[in-house]
Amino acid sequence: AQSVTQLGSHVSVSEGALVLLRCNYSSSVPPYLFWYVQYPNQGLQLLLKYTSAATLVKGINGFEAEFKKSETSFHLTKPSAHMSDAAEYFCAVSDVYQGAQKLVFGQGTRLTINP
Amino acid sequence: NAGVTQTPKFQVLKTGQSMTLQCAQDMNHEYMSWYRQDPGMGLRLIHYSVGAGITDQGEVPNGYNVSRSTTEDFPLRLLSAAPSQTSVYFCASSLGGSGNTIYFGEGSWLTVV
């Protein structure tokens, strides 16, 4: 079965600093990986996804993630944090559950941006 | 540009009451599902459907029922609400297939007292 581990339930960075949110996965097959963002009291919005094309994936709002098979990682980065990036971020791997697609989520990382 | 629509957004229930969370999608997706989100646990799959007339249980199905009479609608029923069902519920849809994006609704915040 697939699994996802997000290192750090809370990350705090200063405005303008690098954002790095860590995600490691466990998968017995080539994975499909996703990052979702959740703003307060809102639903989940797709930031980006990896589907075995380019290992560096660019998403919305200036975020990108790099798939590293040797490290089983899919860390999310943004060069310069904005106040509007404050949210909870979820890494997920696609799995098949009883023949149907499902997402296995990490525990989430809450990102705080300090002025 | 509706996507996945859930209602209600907020609800307070008393223990033992029943209610239905509504979900509709306008993307003609065959695959729909319900997740619950609890602090520190990410999202967990409750029930899912791979098409009209077909439903199945996910990881945490106890206390919930679903039906799929049309492609568009996938309501989630709480049969007899318990405090342990206090959570945020998300409906989702996709074309199916491992690499396809799963689209989520805005969420329903449910409190059982």
Side-chain angles (χ1 to χ4, degrees), chain A:
Chain A
Q2 329 285 43
S3 66
V4 172
T5 301
Q6 290 183 242
L7 299 176
S9 58
H10 291 89
V11 170
S12 181
V13 302
S14 298
E15 190 174 19
L18 171 72
V19 175
L20 170 60
L21 304 182
R22 299 178 186 274
C23 172
N24 288 89
Y25 69 90
S26 171
S27 174
S28 57
V29 297
Y32 296 105
L33 295 159
F34 303 79
W35 275 100
Y36 284 85
V37 60
Q38 184 182 27
Y39 298 103
N41 294 328
Q42 294 189 25
L44 277 74
Q45 180 181 4
L46 180 70
L47 273 177
L48 50 81
K49 68 177 181 180
Y50 168 75
T51 57
S52 74
T55 56
L56 182 62
V57 182
K58 294 187 183 299
I60 62 172
N61 301 339
F63 284 93
E64 63 182 34
E66 185 172 9
F67 173 72
K68 292 187 177 181
K69 183 178 179 180
S70 61
E71 299 177 7
T72 61
S73 69
F74 190 56
H75 301 331
L76 182 72
T77 60
K78 182 173 181 177
S80 177
H82 294 162
M83 295 299 292
S84 60
D85 295 327
E88 188 152 19
Y89 292 79
F90 291 94
C91 182
V93 62
S94 185
D95 197 359
V96 175
Y97 184 85
Q98 298 182 147
Q101 180 197 20
K102 64 164 281 190
L103 288 177
V104 175
F105 285 88
Q107 302 91 326
T109 297
R110 184 167 300 278
L111 177 64
T112 302
I113 311 298
N114 302 314

Side-chain angles (χ1 to χ4, degrees), chain A residues 107, chain B residues 36-44 84-88:
Chain A
Q107 302 91 326
Chain B
R36 61 176 287 173
Q37 180 184 28
D38 301 292
M41 302 183 73
L43 281 76
R44 293 178 293 168
S84 61
Q85 294 178 301
T86 294
S87 188
V88 184

